[in-house]
């Protein structure tokens, strides 16, 4: 290793096998070369052999690795700070021991930071094994990024490339009293002090791995730690920035993520004392810092919860979360072309939320389309009309109460008669009658046509057209139908895309003779 390495990689380790081996291997195999690299690994009391694995790599690469020991603490903040005290590189890169780097990651990062004189570089991440990572931020490479104007506030992990001179000039460290979220104040402060922030989207730099054993760094963090984290982050924003759009950009992230996570339906599983404490702290935060301009930027679901926290009591919050936890698709109110979910606060002046917060027309359009045919047969109605009768199901029980105007089913120019009934088990059952006479008319003068059965839904003032699909390929036998002087063969079937199609074919002497010719050789054998 050179006297001043280009990069110091800091790895805070606690029971990180088996992923630790891949992580360390990806570091020593970097194209930048080990002589330009320092790895500072801090083992915080591992009991699974991670410490021995660190010692093995240090023995193989003594000029590259520095291994430190400390007692297990309350998260990665203290190990990261310990690593910073020993780091000597021009740049610092924090790497989680479950994750690994692309082979050229460090060489590319150093080159970009040197060329652009960047203090902070965010590099493209890839999720592994179902791990969710930011993607929008890395859609393109950018030399200069405005910290407040884009998506950077939504990607505040400490997995960034930092100029060490910036860190030491401002004495940046991780708050050790935060078991979770301690990387956010560090990253925010670094970005606020940076001369230039850059983004690299041209290469897969960092592979973030979701562990199969679910032992991620934040696993097991209790509600009290999450509450403390949310409160600290909101108050950090308020202390660090003056009121206005810049502060709102950070508060939008923290109210929309850390605060909102405390208001999921698992809140109902907590004891009453915990619920009271969360409600009291969040009511104070929303009252003091959630201004009207910021409130309108939050997603509707988060805005509903926060309005109930701010203007309601604890029981109001419980009622809302119970409503959200109800199984199945929700009850709706349909007025004109808009569909609303009447949750607590709907048209209640106490909470002051606009109707748009309860408008679920977009979701409902998807729910309405989820009809699946499960049975079909021929039957004669009370009026003596022959119909192809299809039973279809939709898992949304409340759809039956909306009325048949939301759904229309056609085959060519033939329109079905649709009746819908609610069923506690099946959801909504639709009884669809397709008149055979109309189907034959839809075949046209040639009397030969393939008629896919289409599903028309009307939600939010828009018509959407799809196909009626079948489950288990139910079938009805083909029928010979006489209409006037002609005879038709009507064949319902399922095509290779699982859609219901009705084939109409007029039985003419020529077609009958051709069919017999195809059959005769088989009969002769």
């Amino acid at each position: 290793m050179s006297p001043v390495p280009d990069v110091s990689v800091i790895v805070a380790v606690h029971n990180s096998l088996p992923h630790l081996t891949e992580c360390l291997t990806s570091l020593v195999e970097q194209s930048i070369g080990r002589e330009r690299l320092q790895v500072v690994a801090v083992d915080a009391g591992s009991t699974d052999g991670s410490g021995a694995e660190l010692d093995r790599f240090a023995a193989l690469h003594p000029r590259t690795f520095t291994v430190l020991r400390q007692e297990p603490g309350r998260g990665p903040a203290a190990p990261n700070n310990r690593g910073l005290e020993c780091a000597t590189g021009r740049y610092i890169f924090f790497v989680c021991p479950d994750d690994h780097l692309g082979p050229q990651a460090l060489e590319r990062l150093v080159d970009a930071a040197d060329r652009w004189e960047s203090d902070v570089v965010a590099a493209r991440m890839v999720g592994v094994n179902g791990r969710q990572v930011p993607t929008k931020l890395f859609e393109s490479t950018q030399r200069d990024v405005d910290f407040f104007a884009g998506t950077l506030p939504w990607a505040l992990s400490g997995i960034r490339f930092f100029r060490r001179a910036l860190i030491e000039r401002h004495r940046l460290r991780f708050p050790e009293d935060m078991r979770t979220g301690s990387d956010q104040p560090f990253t925010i402060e670094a970005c606020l002090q940076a001369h230039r922030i850059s983004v690299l989207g041209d290469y897969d730099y960092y592979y973030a791995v979701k562990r199969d054993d679910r032992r991620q760094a934040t696993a097991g963090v209790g509600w009290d730690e999450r509450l403390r984290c949310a409160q600290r982050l909101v108050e950090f924003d308020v202390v660090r920035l003056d009121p206005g759009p810049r502060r709102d950009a950070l508060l939008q992230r923290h109210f929309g993520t850390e605060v909102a996570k405390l208001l999921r339906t698992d809140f109902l599983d907590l004891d009453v004392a915990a619920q009271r404490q969360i409600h009291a702290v969040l009511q104070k935060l929303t009252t003091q810092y959630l201004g009207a301009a910021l409130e309108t930027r939050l997603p509707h679901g988060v805005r509903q919860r926060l309005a109930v926290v701010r203007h309601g009591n604890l029981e109001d919050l419980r009622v809302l979360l119970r409503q959200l936890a109800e199984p199945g698709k929700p009850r709706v109110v349909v007025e004109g072309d808009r569909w609303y979910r009447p949750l607590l606060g709907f048209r209640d002046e106490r909470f002051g939320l606009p109707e748009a917060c309860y408008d679920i027309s977009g979701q409902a359009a998807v729910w309405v389309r989820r009809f699946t045919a499960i049975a079909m047969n021929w039957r004669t109605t009370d009026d003596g009309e022959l119909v192809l009768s299809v039973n279809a199901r939709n898992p949304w029980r409340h759809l039956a109460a909306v009325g048949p105007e939301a759904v229309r089913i056609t085959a060519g120019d033939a329109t079905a008669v649709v009746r819908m009934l609610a069923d506690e088990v099946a959801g909504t059952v639709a009884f669809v009658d397709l008149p055979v006479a109309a189907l034959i008319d839809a075949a046209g003068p040639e009397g030969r046509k393939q008629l896919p059965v289409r599903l028309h839904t009307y939600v939010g003032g828009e018509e959407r057209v799809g196909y009626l699909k079948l489950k288990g390929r139910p079938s009805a036998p083909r029928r010979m139908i006489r209409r006037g002087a002609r005879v038709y063969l009507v064949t319902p079937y399922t095509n290779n895309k699982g859609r219901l199609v009705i084939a109409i074919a007029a039985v003419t002497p020529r077609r009958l003779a051709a069919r017999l010719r195809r059959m005769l050789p088989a009969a002769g054998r």
Side-chain angles (χ1 to χ4, degrees), residues 53-252:
E53 185 70 343
L54 292 176
D55 292 339
R56 184 173 75 86
F57 271 82
L60 291 171
H61 311 288
R63 296 173 59 84
T64 302
F65 273 76
T66 299
V67 177
L68 306 175
R69 313 284 182 188
Q70 71 170 50
E71 293 297 317
R74 293 173 55 81
N80 281 334
N81 287 340
R82 183 87 183 277
L84 281 172
E85 298 299 333
C86 294
T88 59
R90 294 191 299 121
Y91 296 102
I92 300 290
F93 197 24
F94 297 97
V95 174
C96 294
D98 298 333
D99 306 334
H100 55 275
L101 304 185
Q104 301 174 26
L106 296 180
E107 185 176 17
R108 286 168 172 263
L109 280 161
V110 169
D111 177 67
D114 283 347
R115 279 188 292 110
W116 294 338
E117 298 182 342
S118 306
D119 287 328
V120 179
V121 182
R124 177 184 176 87
M125 302 173 68
V126 177
V128 178
N129 201 24
R131 178 85 174 269
Q132 298 297 310
V133 298
T135 56
K136 189 173 181 59
L137 175 64
F138 305 113
E139 289 178 349
S140 63
T141 293
Q142 301 174 67
R143 179 174 179 266
D144 286 282
V145 176
D146 184 340
F147 180 48
F148 300 99
T151 59
L152 196 53
W154 296 89
L156 291 176
S157 77
I159 305 170
R160 298 286 176 264
F161 193 74
F162 301 95
R163 187 177 296 274
R164 190 166 71 88
L166 172 78
I167 293 174
E168 296 308 322
R169 184 184 313 122
H170 298 283
R171 197 59 188 169
L172 302 183
R173 293 296 185 269
F174 293 77
E176 297 186 13
D177 59 341
M178 293 179 68
R179 183 180 175 187
T180 182
S182 61
D183 52 348
Q184 293 197 43
F186 180 95
T187 303
I188 292 170
E189 188 64 34
C191 289
L192 292 176
Q193 300 292 349
H195 162 70
R196 172 171 292 130
I197 304 170
S198 304
V199 170
L200 293 176
D202 60 336
Y203 180 73
D204 292 341
Y205 290 84
Y206 192 99
Y207 292 87
V209 179
K210 181 179 181 180
R211 295 182 63 122
D212 291 324
D213 58 11
R214 300 185 179 182
R215 288 190 308 170
Q216 299 297 141
T218 55
V221 175
W223 67 266
D224 51 342
E225 295 284 356
R226 292 188 289 121
L227 178 62
R228 184 179 299 111
C229 170
Q231 185 174 9
R232 284 285 301 274
L233 292 175
V234 169
E235 292 174 347
F236 178 87
D237 298 341
V238 171
V239 169
R240 192 63 186 80
L241 294 164
D242 294 329
R246 286 159 56 91
R247 189 171 89 176
D248 282 353
L250 290 179
L251 286 175
Q252 181 184 359

Side-chain angles (χ1 to χ4, degrees), residues 402-430:
V402 173
E405 62 273 8
V407 177
R408 188 168 64 95
I409 293 176
T410 64
D413 294 332
T415 299
V417 176
V418 180
R419 295 176 295 116
M420 292 192 291
L421 295 177
D423 184 282
E424 291 294 332
V425 177
T428 292
V429 179

